[in-house]
Amino acid sequence: MQSTRQNKICRLIQQDMGDIFLREMKPVLGPSLVTVTQVRITPDLSIARIYVSIMVIGQGTKEGLLELIRANTSDLRRRLGMREGKQLRIIPQLEFYLDDSLDYIENIERLLKQ
């Protein structure tokens, strides 16, 4: 169970990372849409696990875009640090994971319609 401090930091990271993907990473990611669905942080606040939902527009795959995001992790951490530098003493390491819960829900709905 996460503490109140962990929950506040998770919400803060989720909001800021969503804004970074929307506004600052557009040239890198292209026309695809990246949404931060969930953030989990370790009790010592050193690692943030960020779950993203990716909608691919045009060419490319979700896995390809996730690898591109992982390749730019240090830049994303720097951008996050510039936003949260006054609120967090140490900016956590970022780990990105693909959130496939929406695909799972769509699959269940498709199966129920059959």
mmCIF file of all heavy atoms in Angstrom, residues 48-97:
data_model
loop_
_atom_site.group_PDB
_atom_site.id
_atom_site.type_symbol
_atom_site.label_atom_id
_atom_site.label_comp_id
_atom_site.label_asym_id
_atom_site.label_seq_id
_atom_site.Cartn_x
_atom_site.Cartn_y
_atom_site.Cartn_z
ATOM 1 N N ALA A 48 10.506 5.333 -10.533
ATOM 2 C CA ALA A 48 9.115 5.542 -10.924
ATOM 3 C C ALA A 48 8.825 4.656 -12.128
ATOM 4 O O ALA A 48 9.508 4.745 -13.144
ATOM 5 C CB ALA A 48 8.872 7.005 -11.265
ATOM 6 N N ARG A 49 7.832 3.803 -11.992
ATOM 7 C CA ARG A 49 7.407 2.947 -13.099
ATOM 8 C C ARG A 49 6.212 3.616 -13.766
ATOM 9 O O ARG A 49 5.171 3.791 -13.142
ATOM 10 C CB ARG A 49 7.052 1.562 -12.581
ATOM 11 C CG ARG A 49 8.276 0.832 -12.069
ATOM 12 C CD ARG A 49 7.938 -0.536 -11.517
ATOM 13 N NE ARG A 49 9.146 -1.201 -11.079
ATOM 14 C CZ ARG A 49 9.627 -1.133 -9.833
ATOM 15 N NH1 ARG A 49 8.978 -0.438 -8.921
ATOM 16 N NH2 ARG A 49 10.738 -1.769 -9.521
ATOM 17 N N ILE A 50 6.402 3.987 -15.019
ATOM 18 C CA ILE A 50 5.403 4.761 -15.741
ATOM 19 C C ILE A 50 4.764 3.870 -16.797
ATOM 20 O O ILE A 50 5.458 3.322 -17.649
ATOM 21 C CB ILE A 50 6.048 6.007 -16.378
ATOM 22 C CG1 ILE A 50 6.682 6.869 -15.285
ATOM 23 C CG2 ILE A 50 5.024 6.791 -17.182
ATOM 24 C CD1 ILE A 50 7.523 7.998 -15.798
ATOM 25 N N TYR A 51 3.444 3.731 -16.722
ATOM 26 C CA TYR A 51 2.699 2.922 -17.676
ATOM 27 C C TYR A 51 2.072 3.860 -18.708
ATOM 28 O O TYR A 51 1.363 4.800 -18.340
ATOM 29 C CB TYR A 51 1.623 2.102 -16.958
ATOM 30 C CG TYR A 51 2.223 1.077 -16.040
ATOM 31 C CD1 TYR A 51 2.563 1.388 -14.731
ATOM 32 C CD2 TYR A 51 2.491 -0.211 -16.498
ATOM 33 C CE1 TYR A 51 3.138 0.443 -13.891
ATOM 34 C CE2 TYR A 51 3.063 -1.157 -15.663
ATOM 35 C CZ TYR A 51 3.383 -0.820 -14.370
ATOM 36 O OH TYR A 51 3.963 -1.750 -13.544
ATOM 37 N N VAL A 52 2.368 3.603 -19.985
ATOM 38 C CA VAL A 52 1.883 4.463 -21.054
ATOM 39 C C VAL A 52 0.997 3.677 -22.011
ATOM 40 O O VAL A 52 1.210 2.494 -22.253
ATOM 41 C CB VAL A 52 3.045 5.118 -21.838
ATOM 42 C CG1 VAL A 52 3.809 6.089 -20.974
ATOM 43 C CG2 VAL A 52 3.983 4.093 -22.414
ATOM 44 N N SER A 53 -0.020 4.351 -22.515
ATOM 45 C CA SER A 53 -0.874 3.811 -23.552
ATOM 46 C C SER A 53 -0.522 4.564 -24.833
ATOM 47 O O SER A 53 -0.491 5.793 -24.846
ATOM 48 C CB SER A 53 -2.339 4.024 -23.176
ATOM 49 O OG SER A 53 -3.172 3.582 -24.217
ATOM 50 N N ILE A 54 -0.254 3.829 -25.900
ATOM 51 C CA ILE A 54 0.220 4.437 -27.138
ATOM 52 C C ILE A 54 -0.788 4.186 -28.254
ATOM 53 O O ILE A 54 -1.197 3.048 -28.478
ATOM 54 C CB ILE A 54 1.596 3.866 -27.528
ATOM 55 C CG1 ILE A 54 2.615 4.156 -26.425
ATOM 56 C CG2 ILE A 54 2.064 4.439 -28.857
ATOM 57 C CD1 ILE A 54 3.956 3.501 -26.630
ATOM 58 N N MET A 55 -1.175 5.261 -28.939
ATOM 59 C CA MET A 55 -2.003 5.143 -30.124
ATOM 60 C C MET A 55 -1.134 5.538 -31.312
ATOM 61 O O MET A 55 -0.693 6.682 -31.414
ATOM 62 C CB MET A 55 -3.229 6.046 -30.055
ATOM 63 C CG MET A 55 -4.108 5.932 -31.285
ATOM 64 S SD MET A 55 -5.486 7.082 -31.292
ATOM 65 C CE MET A 55 -6.402 6.523 -29.875
ATOM 66 N N VAL A 56 -0.874 4.582 -32.174
ATOM 67 C CA VAL A 56 0.003 4.812 -33.318
ATOM 68 C C VAL A 56 -0.818 5.411 -34.454
ATOM 69 O O VAL A 56 -1.823 4.853 -34.872
ATOM 70 C CB VAL A 56 0.675 3.502 -33.765
ATOM 71 C CG1 VAL A 56 1.560 3.745 -34.964
ATOM 72 C CG2 VAL A 56 1.479 2.905 -32.623
ATOM 73 N N ILE A 57 -0.385 6.562 -34.935
ATOM 74 C CA ILE A 57 -1.003 7.202 -36.086
ATOM 75 C C ILE A 57 0.042 7.201 -37.199
ATOM 76 O O ILE A 57 1.139 7.708 -37.028
ATOM 77 C CB ILE A 57 -1.441 8.639 -35.754
ATOM 78 C CG1 ILE A 57 -2.442 8.609 -34.607
ATOM 79 C CG2 ILE A 57 -2.024 9.328 -36.981
ATOM 80 C CD1 ILE A 57 -2.808 9.956 -34.063
ATOM 81 N N GLY A 58 -0.297 6.613 -38.303
ATOM 82 C CA GLY A 58 0.668 6.501 -39.390
ATOM 83 C C GLY A 58 1.402 5.184 -39.295
ATOM 84 O O GLY A 58 0.847 4.151 -38.945
ATOM 85 N N GLN A 59 2.689 5.232 -39.583
ATOM 86 C CA GLN A 59 3.472 4.006 -39.579
ATOM 87 C C GLN A 59 4.216 3.834 -38.258
ATOM 88 O O GLN A 59 4.445 4.782 -37.550
ATOM 89 C CB GLN A 59 4.443 4.010 -40.746
ATOM 90 C CG GLN A 59 5.248 5.282 -40.858
ATOM 91 C CD GLN A 59 5.887 5.399 -42.214
ATOM 92 O OE1 GLN A 59 6.180 4.420 -42.838
ATOM 93 N NE2 GLN A 59 6.100 6.619 -42.660
ATOM 94 N N GLY A 60 4.557 2.614 -37.966
ATOM 95 C CA GLY A 60 5.246 2.296 -36.723
ATOM 96 C C GLY A 60 4.392 1.366 -35.876
ATOM 97 O O GLY A 60 3.245 1.077 -36.188
ATOM 98 N N THR A 61 4.987 0.907 -34.776
ATOM 99 C CA THR A 61 4.290 0.009 -33.870
ATOM 100 C C THR A 61 4.370 0.562 -32.454
ATOM 101 O O THR A 61 5.184 1.440 -32.161
ATOM 102 C CB THR A 61 4.921 -1.399 -33.889
ATOM 103 O OG1 THR A 61 6.281 -1.292 -33.418
ATOM 104 C CG2 THR A 61 4.906 -1.990 -35.284
ATOM 105 N N LYS A 62 3.524 0.023 -31.602
ATOM 106 C CA LYS A 62 3.557 0.437 -30.201
ATOM 107 C C LYS A 62 4.897 0.094 -29.562
ATOM 108 O O LYS A 62 5.465 0.884 -28.820
ATOM 109 C CB LYS A 62 2.429 -0.245 -29.429
ATOM 110 C CG LYS A 62 1.059 0.230 -29.794
ATOM 111 C CD LYS A 62 0.016 -0.478 -28.965
ATOM 112 C CE LYS A 62 -1.366 -0.006 -29.343
ATOM 113 N NZ LYS A 62 -2.409 -0.636 -28.532
ATOM 114 N N GLU A 63 5.385 -1.099 -29.868
ATOM 115 C CA GLU A 63 6.661 -1.530 -29.287
ATOM 116 C C GLU A 63 7.811 -0.655 -29.780
ATOM 117 O O GLU A 63 8.736 -0.341 -29.033
ATOM 118 C CB GLU A 63 6.931 -2.997 -29.612
ATOM 119 C CG GLU A 63 6.013 -3.973 -28.894
ATOM 120 C CD GLU A 63 4.629 -4.082 -29.515
ATOM 121 O OE1 GLU A 63 4.457 -3.651 -30.687
ATOM 122 O OE2 GLU A 63 3.718 -4.578 -28.836
ATOM 123 N N GLY A 64 7.750 -0.255 -31.049
ATOM 124 C CA GLY A 64 8.782 0.620 -31.602
ATOM 125 C C GLY A 64 8.793 1.976 -30.926
ATOM 126 O O GLY A 64 9.858 2.525 -30.616
ATOM 127 N N LEU A 65 7.604 2.529 -30.682
ATOM 128 C CA LEU A 65 7.531 3.817 -29.990
ATOM 129 C C LEU A 65 7.953 3.694 -28.533
ATOM 130 O O LEU A 65 8.577 4.609 -27.987
ATOM 131 C CB LEU A 65 6.113 4.379 -30.075
ATOM 132 C CG LEU A 65 5.777 5.108 -31.371
ATOM 133 C CD1 LEU A 65 4.318 5.499 -31.398
ATOM 134 C CD2 LEU A 65 6.636 6.319 -31.552
ATOM 135 N N LEU A 66 7.623 2.567 -27.908
ATOM 136 C CA LEU A 66 8.047 2.357 -26.523
ATOM 137 C C LEU A 66 9.564 2.293 -26.440
ATOM 138 O O LEU A 66 10.172 2.855 -25.520
ATOM 139 C CB LEU A 66 7.416 1.088 -25.953
ATOM 140 C CG LEU A 66 7.718 0.789 -24.494
ATOM 141 C CD1 LEU A 66 7.178 1.898 -23.596
ATOM 142 C CD2 LEU A 66 7.136 -0.546 -24.090
ATOM 143 N N GLU A 67 10.210 1.644 -27.397
ATOM 144 C CA GLU A 67 11.681 1.601 -27.425
ATOM 145 C C GLU A 67 12.267 2.990 -27.655
ATOM 146 O O GLU A 67 13.304 3.332 -27.078
ATOM 147 C CB GLU A 67 12.167 0.624 -28.500
ATOM 148 C CG GLU A 67 11.938 -0.827 -28.139
ATOM 149 C CD GLU A 67 12.571 -1.219 -26.819
ATOM 150 O OE1 GLU A 67 13.737 -0.831 -26.553
ATOM 151 O OE2 GLU A 67 11.904 -1.906 -26.027
ATOM 152 N N LEU A 68 11.604 3.808 -28.471
ATOM 153 C CA LEU A 68 12.050 5.187 -28.689
ATOM 154 C C LEU A 68 11.939 5.996 -27.403
ATOM 155 O O LEU A 68 12.832 6.778 -27.074
ATOM 156 C CB LEU A 68 11.213 5.820 -29.804
ATOM 157 C CG LEU A 68 11.597 7.229 -30.223
ATOM 158 C CD1 LEU A 68 13.008 7.238 -30.809
ATOM 159 C CD2 LEU A 68 10.602 7.753 -31.232
ATOM 160 N N ILE A 69 10.854 5.782 -26.666
ATOM 161 C CA ILE A 69 10.691 6.467 -25.377
ATOM 162 C C ILE A 69 11.776 6.009 -24.403
ATOM 163 O O ILE A 69 12.391 6.823 -23.711
ATOM 164 C CB ILE A 69 9.278 6.200 -24.802
ATOM 165 C CG1 ILE A 69 8.230 6.904 -25.644
ATOM 166 C CG2 ILE A 69 9.190 6.637 -23.348
ATOM 167 C CD1 ILE A 69 6.810 6.523 -25.303
ATOM 168 N N ARG A 70 12.020 4.704 -24.357
ATOM 169 C CA ARG A 70 13.061 4.190 -23.456
ATOM 170 C C ARG A 70 14.445 4.707 -23.851
ATOM 171 O O ARG A 70 15.294 4.929 -22.987
ATOM 172 C CB ARG A 70 13.055 2.664 -23.463
ATOM 173 C CG ARG A 70 11.885 2.080 -22.709
ATOM 174 C CD ARG A 70 11.871 0.585 -22.757
ATOM 175 N NE ARG A 70 10.751 0.038 -21.996
ATOM 176 C CZ ARG A 70 10.270 -1.168 -22.160
ATOM 177 N NH1 ARG A 70 10.814 -1.990 -23.052
ATOM 178 N NH2 ARG A 70 9.258 -1.587 -21.428
ATOM 179 N N ALA A 71 14.685 4.911 -25.141
ATOM 180 C CA ALA A 71 15.970 5.445 -25.587
ATOM 181 C C ALA A 71 16.152 6.901 -25.157
ATOM 182 O O ALA A 71 17.278 7.365 -24.986
ATOM 183 C CB ALA A 71 16.096 5.324 -27.106
ATOM 184 N N ASN A 72 15.050 7.610 -24.964
ATOM 185 C CA ASN A 72 15.102 9.019 -24.554
ATOM 186 C C ASN A 72 14.819 9.206 -23.070
ATOM 187 O O ASN A 72 14.415 10.284 -22.648
ATOM 188 C CB ASN A 72 14.098 9.833 -25.380
ATOM 189 C CG ASN A 72 14.533 9.990 -26.809
ATOM 190 O OD1 ASN A 72 15.661 10.361 -27.072
ATOM 191 N ND2 ASN A 72 13.637 9.676 -27.732
ATOM 192 N N THR A 73 15.021 8.170 -22.271
ATOM 193 C CA THR A 73 14.708 8.231 -20.844
ATOM 194 C C THR A 73 15.506 9.323 -20.125
ATOM 195 O O THR A 73 14.961 10.044 -19.288
ATOM 196 C CB THR A 73 14.968 6.863 -20.179
ATOM 197 O OG1 THR A 73 14.132 5.893 -20.802
ATOM 198 C CG2 THR A 73 14.666 6.894 -18.703
ATOM 199 N N SER A 74 16.772 9.470 -20.449
ATOM 200 C CA SER A 74 17.586 10.479 -19.758
ATOM 201 C C SER A 74 17.091 11.888 -20.077
ATOM 202 O O SER A 74 17.064 12.754 -19.194
ATOM 203 C CB SER A 74 19.057 10.326 -20.123
ATOM 204 O OG SER A 74 19.231 10.508 -21.511
ATOM 205 N N ASP A 75 16.681 12.137 -21.312
ATOM 206 C CA ASP A 75 16.138 13.440 -21.678
ATOM 207 C C ASP A 75 14.803 13.686 -20.971
ATOM 208 O O ASP A 75 14.544 14.790 -20.490
ATOM 209 C CB ASP A 75 15.971 13.534 -23.199
ATOM 210 C CG ASP A 75 15.465 14.888 -23.637
ATOM 211 O OD1 ASP A 75 15.976 15.906 -23.129
ATOM 212 O OD2 ASP A 75 14.547 14.933 -24.484
ATOM 213 N N LEU A 76 13.977 12.652 -20.892
ATOM 214 C CA LEU A 76 12.694 12.785 -20.196
ATOM 215 C C LEU A 76 12.897 13.054 -18.713
ATOM 216 O O LEU A 76 12.179 13.858 -18.115
ATOM 217 C CB LEU A 76 11.849 11.530 -20.407
ATOM 218 C CG LEU A 76 11.309 11.332 -21.822
ATOM 219 C CD1 LEU A 76 10.759 9.921 -21.981
ATOM 220 C CD2 LEU A 76 10.246 12.352 -22.130
ATOM 221 N N ARG A 77 13.881 12.398 -18.121
ATOM 222 C CA ARG A 77 14.169 12.616 -16.698
ATOM 223 C C ARG A 77 14.663 14.041 -16.465
ATOM 224 O O ARG A 77 14.304 14.693 -15.488
ATOM 225 C CB ARG A 77 15.203 11.610 -16.216
ATOM 226 C CG ARG A 77 15.464 11.718 -14.731
ATOM 227 C CD ARG A 77 16.386 10.618 -14.265
ATOM 228 N NE ARG A 77 16.551 10.702 -12.836
ATOM 229 C CZ ARG A 77 17.722 10.600 -12.222
ATOM 230 N NH1 ARG A 77 18.806 10.366 -12.915
ATOM 231 N NH2 ARG A 77 17.795 10.695 -10.910
ATOM 232 N N ARG A 78 15.470 14.560 -17.391
ATOM 233 C CA ARG A 78 15.962 15.934 -17.289
ATOM 234 C C ARG A 78 14.798 16.921 -17.379
ATOM 235 O O ARG A 78 14.704 17.858 -16.583
ATOM 236 C CB ARG A 78 16.976 16.216 -18.398
ATOM 237 C CG ARG A 78 17.546 17.633 -18.355
ATOM 238 C CD ARG A 78 18.415 17.918 -19.566
ATOM 239 N NE ARG A 78 17.691 17.808 -20.813
ATOM 240 C CZ ARG A 78 16.901 18.766 -21.324
ATOM 241 N NH1 ARG A 78 16.725 19.882 -20.656
ATOM 242 N NH2 ARG A 78 16.302 18.597 -22.480
ATOM 243 N N ARG A 79 13.898 16.688 -18.331
ATOM 244 C CA ARG A 79 12.734 17.570 -18.484
ATOM 245 C C ARG A 79 11.830 17.512 -17.250
ATOM 246 O O ARG A 79 11.301 18.532 -16.810
ATOM 247 C CB ARG A 79 11.939 17.193 -19.730
ATOM 248 C CG ARG A 79 12.662 17.499 -21.021
ATOM 249 C CD ARG A 79 11.878 16.954 -22.209
ATOM 250 N NE ARG A 79 12.643 16.997 -23.423
ATOM 251 C CZ ARG A 79 12.538 17.937 -24.354
ATOM 252 N NH1 ARG A 79 11.691 18.932 -24.173
ATOM 253 N NH2 ARG A 79 13.274 17.886 -25.440
ATOM 254 N N LEU A 80 11.664 16.314 -16.698
ATOM 255 C CA LEU A 80 10.869 16.161 -15.482
ATOM 256 C C LEU A 80 11.547 16.881 -14.314
ATOM 257 O O LEU A 80 10.881 17.532 -13.508
ATOM 258 C CB LEU A 80 10.678 14.677 -15.157
ATOM 259 C CG LEU A 80 9.779 14.328 -13.987
ATOM 260 C CD1 LEU A 80 8.342 14.746 -14.286
ATOM 261 C CD2 LEU A 80 9.850 12.849 -13.682
ATOM 262 N N GLY A 81 12.860 16.787 -14.237
ATOM 263 C CA GLY A 81 13.598 17.462 -13.175
ATOM 264 C C GLY A 81 13.488 18.971 -13.249
ATOM 265 O O GLY A 81 13.455 19.660 -12.223
ATOM 266 N N MET A 82 13.422 19.501 -14.465
ATOM 267 C CA MET A 82 13.270 20.954 -14.616
ATOM 268 C C MET A 82 11.898 21.413 -14.118
ATOM 269 O O MET A 82 11.760 22.522 -13.614
ATOM 270 C CB MET A 82 13.468 21.355 -16.077
ATOM 271 C CG MET A 82 14.915 21.237 -16.517
ATOM 272 S SD MET A 82 15.238 21.463 -18.279
ATOM 273 C CE MET A 82 14.155 22.744 -18.768
ATOM 274 N N ARG A 83 10.907 20.554 -14.215
ATOM 275 C CA ARG A 83 9.560 20.903 -13.757
ATOM 276 C C ARG A 83 9.381 20.679 -12.261
ATOM 277 O O ARG A 83 8.696 21.437 -11.600
ATOM 278 C CB ARG A 83 8.515 20.075 -14.503
ATOM 279 C CG ARG A 83 8.382 20.449 -15.945
ATOM 280 C CD ARG A 83 7.472 19.463 -16.643
ATOM 281 N NE ARG A 83 7.293 19.838 -18.012
ATOM 282 C CZ ARG A 83 6.154 20.287 -18.517
ATOM 283 N NH1 ARG A 83 5.095 20.391 -17.756
ATOM 284 N NH2 ARG A 83 6.069 20.627 -19.777
ATOM 285 N N GLU A 84 9.965 19.615 -11.729
ATOM 286 C CA GLU A 84 9.717 19.224 -10.344
ATOM 287 C C GLU A 84 10.912 19.460 -9.429
ATOM 288 O O GLU A 84 10.932 18.959 -8.312
ATOM 289 C CB GLU A 84 9.332 17.742 -10.290
ATOM 290 C CG GLU A 84 8.056 17.442 -11.004
ATOM 291 C CD GLU A 84 7.674 15.991 -10.928
ATOM 292 O OE1 GLU A 84 8.387 15.220 -10.264
ATOM 293 O OE2 GLU A 84 6.661 15.627 -11.526
ATOM 294 N N GLY A 85 11.884 20.187 -9.891
ATOM 295 C CA GLY A 85 13.100 20.387 -9.116
ATOM 296 C C GLY A 85 12.871 20.996 -7.747
ATOM 297 O O GLY A 85 13.604 20.717 -6.801
ATOM 298 N N LYS A 86 11.873 21.838 -7.604
ATOM 299 C CA LYS A 86 11.604 22.496 -6.321
ATOM 300 C C LYS A 86 10.767 21.620 -5.386
ATOM 301 O O LYS A 86 10.688 21.881 -4.202
ATOM 302 C CB LYS A 86 10.861 23.815 -6.547
ATOM 303 C CG LYS A 86 11.567 24.775 -7.452
ATOM 304 C CD LYS A 86 12.772 25.355 -6.779
ATOM 305 C CE LYS A 86 13.390 26.393 -7.705
ATOM 306 N NZ LYS A 86 14.716 26.757 -7.324
ATOM 307 N N GLN A 87 10.143 20.580 -5.925
ATOM 308 C CA GLN A 87 9.246 19.768 -5.108
ATOM 309 C C GLN A 87 9.865 18.445 -4.676
ATOM 310 O O GLN A 87 9.467 17.882 -3.673
ATOM 311 C CB GLN A 87 7.954 19.513 -5.879
ATOM 312 C CG GLN A 87 7.229 20.803 -6.168
ATOM 313 C CD GLN A 87 6.086 20.625 -7.130
ATOM 314 O OE1 GLN A 87 5.845 19.543 -7.621
ATOM 315 N NE2 GLN A 87 5.389 21.702 -7.406
ATOM 316 N N LEU A 88 10.833 17.949 -5.454
ATOM 317 C CA LEU A 88 11.492 16.693 -5.120
ATOM 318 C C LEU A 88 12.986 16.921 -4.981
ATOM 319 O O LEU A 88 13.589 17.606 -5.803
ATOM 320 C CB LEU A 88 11.250 15.649 -6.223
ATOM 321 C CG LEU A 88 9.828 15.170 -6.433
ATOM 322 C CD1 LEU A 88 9.766 14.246 -7.632
ATOM 323 C CD2 LEU A 88 9.332 14.449 -5.204
ATOM 324 N N ARG A 89 13.555 16.323 -3.964
ATOM 325 C CA ARG A 89 14.989 16.471 -3.770
ATOM 326 C C ARG A 89 15.765 15.672 -4.800
ATOM 327 O O ARG A 89 16.739 16.134 -5.367
ATOM 328 C CB ARG A 89 15.360 16.021 -2.358
ATOM 329 C CG ARG A 89 16.703 16.557 -1.927
ATOM 330 C CD ARG A 89 17.015 16.152 -0.537
ATOM 331 N NE ARG A 89 17.754 14.895 -0.626
ATOM 332 C CZ ARG A 89 17.885 14.035 0.335
ATOM 333 N NH1 ARG A 89 17.314 14.243 1.481
ATOM 334 N NH2 ARG A 89 18.593 12.944 0.175
ATOM 335 N N ILE A 90 15.318 14.446 -5.045
ATOM 336 C CA ILE A 90 15.960 13.577 -6.027
ATOM 337 C C ILE A 90 14.887 13.163 -7.037
ATOM 338 O O ILE A 90 13.828 12.665 -6.659
ATOM 339 C CB ILE A 90 16.563 12.333 -5.353
ATOM 340 C CG1 ILE A 90 17.676 12.751 -4.394
ATOM 341 C CG2 ILE A 90 17.090 11.359 -6.395
ATOM 342 C CD1 ILE A 90 18.230 11.627 -3.567
ATOM 343 N N ILE A 91 15.186 13.372 -8.309
ATOM 344 C CA ILE A 91 14.264 12.955 -9.360
ATOM 345 C C ILE A 91 14.446 11.450 -9.554
ATOM 346 O O ILE A 91 15.563 10.974 -9.752
ATOM 347 C CB ILE A 91 14.557 13.709 -10.679
ATOM 348 C CG1 ILE A 91 14.474 15.218 -10.457
ATOM 349 C CG2 ILE A 91 13.595 13.271 -11.771
ATOM 350 C CD1 ILE A 91 13.144 15.708 -9.949
ATOM 351 N N PRO A 92 13.365 10.674 -9.506
ATOM 352 C CA PRO A 92 13.503 9.213 -9.588
ATOM 353 C C PRO A 92 13.933 8.741 -10.977
ATOM 354 O O PRO A 92 13.729 9.430 -11.977
ATOM 355 C CB PRO A 92 12.100 8.705 -9.253
ATOM 356 C CG PRO A 92 11.195 9.843 -9.520
ATOM 357 C CD PRO A 92 11.985 11.089 -9.313
ATOM 358 N N GLN A 93 14.551 7.553 -11.004
ATOM 359 C CA GLN A 93 14.844 6.903 -12.280
ATOM 360 C C GLN A 93 13.505 6.540 -12.918
ATOM 361 O O GLN A 93 12.579 6.150 -12.226
ATOM 362 C CB GLN A 93 15.666 5.628 -12.057
ATOM 363 C CG GLN A 93 17.052 5.875 -11.505
ATOM 364 C CD GLN A 93 17.953 6.543 -12.529
ATOM 365 O OE1 GLN A 93 17.852 6.284 -13.712
ATOM 366 N NE2 GLN A 93 18.822 7.410 -12.051
ATOM 367 N N LEU A 94 13.430 6.638 -14.232
ATOM 368 C CA LEU A 94 12.179 6.373 -14.930
ATOM 369 C C LEU A 94 12.255 5.041 -15.656
ATOM 370 O O LEU A 94 13.230 4.763 -16.347
ATOM 371 C CB LEU A 94 11.878 7.491 -15.936
ATOM 372 C CG LEU A 94 11.842 8.910 -15.380
ATOM 373 C CD1 LEU A 94 11.587 9.903 -16.505
ATOM 374 C CD2 LEU A 94 10.798 9.048 -14.297
ATOM 375 N N GLU A 95 11.218 4.232 -15.478
ATOM 376 C CA GLU A 95 11.080 2.974 -16.212
ATOM 377 C C GLU A 95 9.732 3.020 -16.910
ATOM 378 O O GLU A 95 8.716 3.299 -16.281
ATOM 379 C CB GLU A 95 11.134 1.776 -15.264
ATOM 380 C CG GLU A 95 12.455 1.592 -14.572
ATOM 381 C CD GLU A 95 12.455 0.417 -13.606
ATOM 382 O OE1 GLU A 95 11.382 -0.206 -13.408
ATOM 383 O OE2 GLU A 95 13.512 0.143 -13.036
ATOM 384 N N PHE A 96 9.730 2.743 -18.208
ATOM 385 C CA PHE A 96 8.497 2.821 -18.994
ATOM 386 C C PHE A 96 8.003 1.439 -19.354
ATOM 387 O O PHE A 96 8.777 0.573 -19.766
ATOM 388 C CB PHE A 96 8.738 3.653 -20.259
ATOM 389 C CG PHE A 96 8.986 5.104 -19.970
ATOM 390 C CD1 PHE A 96 10.277 5.592 -19.853
ATOM 391 C CD2 PHE A 96 7.934 5.978 -19.789
ATOM 392 C CE1 PHE A 96 10.510 6.919 -19.575
ATOM 393 C CE2 PHE A 96 8.150 7.315 -19.505
ATOM 394 C CZ PHE A 96 9.445 7.785 -19.405
ATOM 395 N N TYR A 97 6.692 1.262 -19.212
ATOM 396 C CA TYR A 97 6.040 -0.006 -19.543
ATOM 397 C C TYR A 97 4.810 0.293 -20.386
ATOM 398 O O TYR A 97 4.156 1.327 -20.212
ATOM 399 C CB TYR A 97 5.623 -0.763 -18.275
ATOM 400 C CG TYR A 97 6.785 -1.140 -17.397
ATOM 401 C CD1 TYR A 97 7.136 -0.354 -16.311
ATOM 402 C CD2 TYR A 97 7.540 -2.266 -17.669
ATOM 403 C CE1 TYR A 97 8.209 -0.697 -15.506
ATOM 404 C CE2 TYR A 97 8.617 -2.615 -16.861
ATOM 405 C CZ TYR A 97 8.939 -1.820 -15.788
ATOM 406 O OH TYR A 97 10.003 -2.146 -15.000
#
